[in-house]
Amino acid sequence: MIGTYLNTLAILVGTGIGCLLHGGIKPRYQEALYLAIGLAAPVLFCWQGGIYLVTKYLSTSFFSASFITEISIVGGLLIAASGISLLKLREIKTVNLLPALLIPVLFFLFKSWV
């Protein structure tokens, strides 16, 4: 939960420092930026806090170490594919690969039923 607080604080502080150091931002853009960050911070807090609560209290029996490992492997491959696309080494449509995150979930659900 500390990460949720730190991420929200980093967004707010980073935006404030960025606007102060970069005096070239027009006042009407600064106002829009502050409004957007002011709306994004509570959403981020609720989203990450919700993930924390689900993993902490609701799903302790389902999230085994091997399940977390499998999800991490798939997630790592998705992050690597995004990085390859960002570096323009090869065009990989990572969004099309997102259903791969369901494979470990389905596998472990099937494994728990059998």
Side-chain angles (χ1 to χ4, degrees), residues 28-108:
R28 75 175 185 171
Y29 294 133
Q30 282 182 353
E31 189 176 311
L33 183 63
Y34 284 135
L35 177 65
I37 295 302
L39 293 174
V43 171
L44 173 72
F45 179 78
C46 291
W47 179 259
Q48 288 187 348
I51 292 172
Y52 172 78
L53 292 175
V54 165
T55 58
K56 175 106 173 141
Y57 298 110
L58 297 179
S59 58
T60 55
S61 63
F62 184 69
F63 287 157
S64 64
S66 57
F67 177 73
I68 297 294
T69 302
E70 296 298 323
I71 291 289
S72 298
I73 290 169
V74 175
L77 290 172
L78 291 173
I79 291 170
S82 297
I84 290 169
S85 291
L86 286 172
L87 292 172
K88 305 278 189 215
L89 299 175
R90 182 154 196 204
E91 183 63 33
I92 301 174
K93 297 186 179 186
T94 309
V95 175
N96 292 341
L97 300 175
L98 284 177
L101 287 170
L102 292 176
I103 300 301
V105 174
L106 295 174
F107 173 76
F108 279 90

